[in-house]
DNA sequence: GTGGTCTAGACCACC
DNA sequence: GTGGTCTAGACCACG
């Protein structure tokens, strides 16, 4: 798993890294119990302040995507959702409407979008039924 | 078309309004040449700083979504995309992958997502073929 | 609402403040939409680094207890719970068992504890039925 | 008595074990003069660093919950509280208020909480009157 | 070695 | 004015 930061982006570094991590997990490229680079290592690799990396890891832990164990390192967590169905649906619809809005402005047709969704969706690691 | 601001949101007011405008256009609730309220009127209605409204209009004009006709007011622009197919596709995919990433974390299945996309897409005003 | 920090405590400053805030809300001493002191003000008052105060506010916002609006200040949020019933019950039981464990070690009787719970509970601002 | 560590918890291992021990005593599952596994045995069983186990035992001994008898092993101590009534009451109230604060935020009602307290309290081994 | 906390001080975005 | 981000560097707790 290789992270990268774009210093010229308006998006804060910690958000860039957080998003990359979230996507890597959603695509199944990072699996539960897998160890991530240490705060100090990643900060050296990316030439970013250790505090910034620590912030990324802290936020992701709060979101339940990873566990950090002082003295051992940082590990990918097992997925779990504690939100109510209602809240989850609301958030999904909001995100979807935002996506569809941009799709319209980018001048795509409904058919093109639906088709693309099916295509890209196959690249993600959807939860198996429980 | 009624705008509204959510003071409890983490999203800056000017972005809330900009997004609402973009979505209203994409849903066909705002049509080309339709006149928008003046900066002063809207600022009074929403109880928002006039500078904030002015910023919204300025950004939307820069994005080509509306035109200011001095002395007449602010009007919705006709849709036009100057971007190449390649660039448009890249942006769409990036937005879609972001959406799918969140959908996975919200613990939805691919089927649920695809189905919801079709459902919500019918509420938008897609460009007719040209 | 007056906060205070005990520099000699092993509990980190940001946790001391966060707990004081959570308790003030639970007791109804801080009400929705009430404005809190600014980061800079509180940092001067408590002689604590502004970043530490900012961290307190950031975490409380993530927990949904307050809203921050750049340019305006920080405000108490309206209560809402997005967690599933199951998760909420699990957390409550865990906290309760911890409390009861300590009560036993402090050599109280069950009757004393039950009685004290009823007594203190009356000082909190329980949600009205919805 | 079987201990267990949750590697995904934010709580340090030594505190997890210490709390489990305190709770086991409070529930009457560990009785005075009962022998505990040796540091080396427990460290192997739990796959935890021996230093960590040693720390748990050291702290518990300092708290008066167990005694080390050199050459014989580690044993559960007889309960005794040397604190004054006033201090004990203060600590209990502080713990209780913390619990009630969280209960409010978890959106429970006072009745639900009082009822749950009575229910769970019956599972603990309260001191008989002396 | 690991991550967690705190300080100091800079610069930016928002209103 | 407000809060948000990032850096630099110190010190502590954990295993």
């Amino acid at each position: 798993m290789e992270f990268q930061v774009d210093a010229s982006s308006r998006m804060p570094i910690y958000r860039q890294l957080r998003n990359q991590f979230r996507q890597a997990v959603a695509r199944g490229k990072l699996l539960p119990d897998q160890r991530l680079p240490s705060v100090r290592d990643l900060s050296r690799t990316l030439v970013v302040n250790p505090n910034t990396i620590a912030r990324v890891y802290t936020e992701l832990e709060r979101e339940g995507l990873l566990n950090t164990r002082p003295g051992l390192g940082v590990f990918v967590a097992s997925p779990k959702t504690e939100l109510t169905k209602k809240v989850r649906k609301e958030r999904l619809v909001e995100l979807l409407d935002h996506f569809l809005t941009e799709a319209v402005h980018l001048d795509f047709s409904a058919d093109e979008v639906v088709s693309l969704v099916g295509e890209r969706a196959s690249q993600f690691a959807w939860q198996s039924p429980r």
Side-chain angles (χ1 to χ4, degrees), chain A residues 16 26 37 46 64 70-71 77 80 84-85 87 89 92 99-100 125-126:
Chain A
Q16 292 180 37
L46 300 177
K80 64 162 177 252
T84 62
K85 177 77 179 175
V87 169
K89 182 69 176 289
L92 189 71
F99 166 68
L100 292 175
W126 303 91

Side-chain angles (χ1 to χ4, degrees), chain A residues 4-128:
Chain A
Q4 53 187 4
V5 300
D6 171 9
S8 74
S9 166
R10 310 68 102 218
M11 188 182 293
I13 294 172
Y14 84 95
R15 290 235 307 151
Q16 292 180 37
L17 293 174
R18 197 190 60 179
N19 288 352
Q20 286 173 36
F21 180 89
R22 289 177 71 79
Q23 190 157 141
V25 170
R27 288 178 180 280
K29 291 183 177 171
L30 284 178
L31 297 175
D33 291 326
Q34 195 172 334
R35 190 174 184 279
L36 293 174
S38 79
V39 169
R40 288 160 171 80
D41 278 354
L42 192 51
S43 101
R44 271 190 298 265
T45 307
L46 300 177
V47 193
V48 162
N49 189 287
N51 282 339
T52 303
I53 304 297
R55 173 171 188 177
V56 175
Y57 283 171
T58 301
E59 295 209 354
L60 288 168
E61 171 153 36
R62 210 154 356 206
E63 293 173 14
L65 275 82
L66 52 78
N67 308 127
T68 114
R69 285 110 106 179
L72 291 178
V74 181
F75 301 82
V76 179
S78 301
K80 64 162 177 252
T81 306
E82 298 181 336
L83 300 177
T84 62
K85 177 77 179 175
K86 181 166 173 293
V87 169
R88 290 162 47 221
K89 182 69 176 289
E90 281 172 2
R91 295 202 182 167
L92 189 71
V93 166
E94 187 179 332
L95 290 162
L96 176 52
D97 285 354
H98 177 255
F99 166 68
L100 292 175
T101 294
E102 297 310 312
V104 168
H105 285 296
L106 286 169
D107 201 28
F108 285 89
S109 72
D111 283 350
E112 286 174 303
V113 168
V114 169
S115 155
L116 188 65
V117 169
E119 189 183 311
R120 303 294 296 187
S122 67
Q123 300 178 14
F124 284 76
W126 303 91
Q127 299 303 323
S128 36

